[in-house]
Amino acid sequence: MVENKKTKKKKKMAIAVMSGDLDKLFGAFIIATSAAASNMDVTMFFTFWGLRAIKKDKRTGKSFMGKMMGFLESGGIDKASPSKYSMGGLGRWMFKRMMKAKKVASLPELRQMALDLGVKFYGCQMSMDVMEIPRESLMDETHECVGGGFFVEKALEADVQFFI
Amino acid sequence: MVENKKTKKKKKMAIAVMSGDLDKLFGAFIIATSAAASNMDVTMFFTFWGLRAIKKDKRTGKSFMGKMMGFLESGGIDKASPSKYSMGGLGRWMFKRMMKAKKVASLPELRQMALDLGVKFYGCQMSMDVMEIPRESLMDETHECVGGGFFVEKALEADVQFFI
Amino acid sequence: MVENKKTKKKKKMAIAVMSGDLDKLFGAFIIATSAAASNMDVTMFFTFWGLRAIKKDKRTGKSFMGKMMGFLESGGIDKASPSKYSMGGLGRWMFKRMMKAKKVASLPELRQMALDLGVKFYGCQMSMDVMEIPRESLMDETHECVGGGFFVEKALEADVQFFI
């Protein structure tokens, strides 16, 4: 096992979340909460479609294309569709029901758990600019909006990194 | 290079496989077998669509929706479709032919090679529950069915981690 | 932070790029250039659809299926479509316009920046064989065409690894 020089230092994890799919977000938050629960420092960097995970349910966009993007990507984490069998929303409904039947935590619950455990959420400023998603449309709990360089720095400091 | 304290200790790799696509599985098994062949300890954690890679060709599901999922995701690793140009099975057929023409190992062959080299396969218990995939429908060689926390632990111990 | 034994040694990053999607490639090159700009040694290993990123705009394929694949995957990095809302090229056009409006670097510009910063590009020989993409159809700047084992070696040496 890779050991830190100062053994008392907390282990760190850095996750870049580019996907906004229900299953991928599920994986990301399960990994993040598991790591935080075992006392790791966890950084989540949300970019492109992944921004859905920390967005309020609020329409975004200023320009014509920004509004179109805001329409296509409308809704918050609750509107994430699975990467397969999206089927116009049917897949989402089905997955949610199956998860509920097995008493698995929902995405909003997992996200809250992550926050409660001290996981830090960062928004990717560049994709926010491109997709015309203003800071106010992200959850108030979002720690900061930063550039890709910030994530690379966190990734380099981390003991474990993922791109999801 | 990151060096272990005890230099005789084997290097470790942990891979989370969430995708069930032919190309992604191909990448995962090529990486896993290459690593195992160079004497690394390799853990593969199969979750969601990735479970296809270690499933027997057996129909699963109990509830109506579980059966529907079992129907949609029927078949084992041999039925994996490429992430692009799936075209109702045509893409799979085409890729398999092109791989065979170049004498590239098939997915079932790569998987067997992984097992022979000591790669350990784990099923994600939570996604098995949600998708109603019982333990018996996974390959007998599956080492254990575990939670996300188990994978995080393995990832932390590992020198290299991937999310595929 | 994981520290190298010889502290003067450059930190290393290894990225496997299997996706050929505009957004994923964007993420890959942003990470790569950020890392290279902070003086890291960066290796990018392009495989399957990711080969588009280092391909010349030249038709490939010898056999019937190879030609079909060459037709489906025709064009270079400029023809990458977003992973969502591809909409027959409309999504690509829209994304490019939105990026330009925000003065974000284009993919060809980011790729050139990566080269200028010393990022090393490798092609996956096996997927080149399968998809019938000859060495000549890759950018001259491509460092070498190698097997999966080479990437695993680079990943093991690296401080940070990603699979995109």
Side-chain angles (χ1 to χ4, degrees):
Chain A
M1 191 170 71
V2 180
E3 296 235 320
N4 287 330
K5 284 274 161 71
K6 298 177 193 167
T7 41
K8 275 169 204 163
K9 235 172 159 179
K10 275 176 118 180
K11 301 279 181 181
K12 290 175 184 173
M13 179 182 279
I15 310 177
V17 184
M18 179 175 272
S19 170
D21 297 331
L22 188 150
D23 39 340
K24 302 279 184 73
L25 290 180
F26 206 82
F29 281 111
I30 289 278
I31 289 178
T33 50
S34 297
S38 19
N39 204 31
M40 289 178 76
D41 240 358
V42 184
T43 295
M44 294 180 93
F45 176 71
F46 296 91
T47 176
F48 277 93
W49 321 107
L51 285 168
R52 170 189 294 285
I54 53 171
K55 238 178 30 178
K56 292 177 189 164
D57 189 359
K58 214 170 132 178
R59 198 57 65 83
T60 58
K62 273 189 182 174
S63 70
F64 171 71
M65 278 190 287
K67 277 181 185 153
M68 193 167 149
M69 186 57 73
F71 169 73
L72 289 168
E73 284 289 300
S74 68
I77 198 168
D78 222 44
K79 285 280 181 294
S81 276
S83 60
K84 282 181 83 169
Y85 314 122
S86 166
M87 305 180 288
L90 188 62
R92 177 171 62 226
W93 175 81
M94 195 167 139
F95 253 102
K96 280 192 187 171
R97 273 195 63 141
M98 290 178 84
M99 282 173 166
K100 208 169 178 181
K102 307 298 166 186
K103 297 189 173 48
V104 168
S106 69
L107 274 181
E109 286 165 356
L110 274 173
R111 182 178 63 181
Q112 189 54 50
M113 213 182 295
L115 285 170
D116 293 344
L117 288 163
V119 174
K120 288 227 175 70
F121 296 171
Y122 294 88
C124 168
Q125 188 62 58
M126 190 187 287
S127 34
M128 288 166 63
D129 288 348
V130 170
M131 297 166 92
E132 299 183 7
I133 299 174
R135 172 68 183 87
E136 313 86 72
S137 65
L138 297 186
M139 296 171 66
D140 302 327
E141 291 90 338
T142 308
H143 201 69
E144 222 183 314
C145 298
V146 294
F150 178 89
F151 171 69
V152 168
E153 219 173 278
K154 285 287 179 187
L156 187 56
E157 282 176 18
D159 301 279
V160 186
Q161 310 90 0
F162 292 111
F163 185 99
I164 295 182
Chain B
M1 191 171 70
V2 180
E3 297 236 319
N4 287 328
K5 284 273 161 75
K6 298 177 195 167
T7 41
K8 276 169 202 164
K9 235 172 158 181
K10 277 175 115 180
K11 300 278 181 182
K12 289 175 185 174
M13 178 182 279
I15 311 177
V17 185
M18 179 175 271
S19 171
D21 297 331
L22 188 151
D23 40 340
K24 302 279 185 73
L25 290 181
F26 206 81
F29 280 111
I30 288 279
I31 290 178
T33 51
S34 298
S38 19
N39 204 30
M40 288 179 76
D41 240 0
V42 185
T43 295
M44 295 180 90
F45 176 70
F46 296 91
T47 176
F48 277 92
W49 321 107
L51 284 168
R52 169 190 295 284
I54 54 170
K55 238 178 31 176
K56 293 177 190 164
D57 188 359
K58 216 170 128 177
R59 199 56 67 81
T60 57
K62 274 190 180 173
S63 70
F64 171 70
M65 279 190 288
K67 277 181 185 154
M68 194 168 149
M69 185 57 72
F71 169 73
L72 289 168
E73 284 289 299
S74 67
I77 199 169
D78 222 45
K79 285 280 181 295
S81 276
S83 61
K84 282 182 83 169
Y85 314 122
S86 166
M87 305 180 288
L90 188 62
R92 176 172 63 226
W93 175 81
M94 195 168 139
F95 253 102
K96 279 192 188 172
R97 273 195 66 142
M98 291 178 83
M99 283 174 165
K100 209 171 176 178
K102 307 299 166 188
K103 295 189 173 46
V104 168
S106 69
L107 274 181
E109 285 165 358
L110 274 174
R111 181 179 64 182
Q112 188 55 49
M113 213 182 294
L115 285 170
D116 293 346
L117 288 162
V119 174
K120 287 227 175 71
F121 296 172
Y122 293 88
C124 168
Q125 188 64 57
M126 192 188 285
S127 35
M128 288 166 64
D129 288 348
V130 169
M131 298 167 90
E132 300 183 5
I133 298 173
R135 173 68 184 88
E136 313 86 72
S137 64
L138 297 186
M139 295 171 68
D140 301 329
E141 291 90 339
T142 308
H143 202 69
E144 223 183 314
C145 297
V146 295
F150 178 88
F151 171 68
V152 168
E153 220 173 277
K154 287 286 180 187
L156 186 57
E157 283 176 18
D159 301 280
V160 187
Q161 310 91 359
F162 293 112
F163 185 98
I164 297 182
Chain C
M1 191 170 72
V2 180
E3 298 235 319
N4 287 329
K5 285 273 161 73
K6 298 175 193 169
T7 41
K8 277 169 203 163
K9 233 172 159 179
K10 275 175 117 179
K11 299 279 181 181
K12 291 176 184 173
M13 180 182 279
I15 310 177
V17 184
M18 179 176 272
S19 172
D21 297 331
L22 188 150
D23 40 339
K24 302 281 184 72
L25 290 180
F26 206 81
F29 281 110
I30 288 279
I31 290 177
T33 50
S34 298
S38 19
N39 204 30
M40 289 178 75
D41 238 0
V42 185
T43 295
M44 294 181 92
F45 176 71
F46 296 91
T47 175
F48 276 92
W49 322 107
L51 285 168
R52 168 188 297 282
I54 53 170
K55 238 177 33 176
K56 293 177 189 164
D57 188 359
K58 214 171 130 179
R59 197 56 64 83
T60 58
K62 276 190 180 172
S63 69
F64 170 71
M65 279 189 288
K67 277 181 185 153
M68 194 169 148
M69 185 59 71
F71 169 74
L72 289 167
E73 283 289 301
S74 68
I77 198 168
D78 221 45
K79 285 278 181 297
S81 276
S83 61
K84 282 181 83 170
Y85 313 122
S86 166
M87 305 180 289
L90 187 62
R92 176 171 62 227
W93 175 81
M94 194 168 140
F95 253 101
K96 280 192 188 172
R97 273 195 64 141
M98 292 178 81
M99 283 173 166
K100 209 170 178 180
K102 306 299 166 186
K103 296 191 172 45
V104 168
S106 69
L107 274 181
E109 285 165 357
L110 274 174
R111 182 179 63 181
Q112 188 53 50
M113 211 182 295
L115 285 170
D116 293 345
L117 288 163
V119 174
K120 287 227 176 70
F121 296 172
Y122 294 89
C124 168
Q125 187 63 58
M126 192 189 284
S127 35
M128 288 166 63
D129 288 348
V130 169
M131 297 167 91
E132 299 182 6
I133 298 173
R135 174 66 183 88
E136 312 87 71
S137 64
L138 296 187
M139 297 171 66
D140 301 329
E141 291 90 340
T142 308
H143 201 69
E144 221 184 313
C145 296
V146 295
F150 178 89
F151 171 68
V152 168
E153 220 173 277
K154 287 285 180 189
L156 186 56
E157 282 175 18
D159 300 279
V160 186
Q161 310 91 1
F162 292 112
F163 185 99
I164 295 182

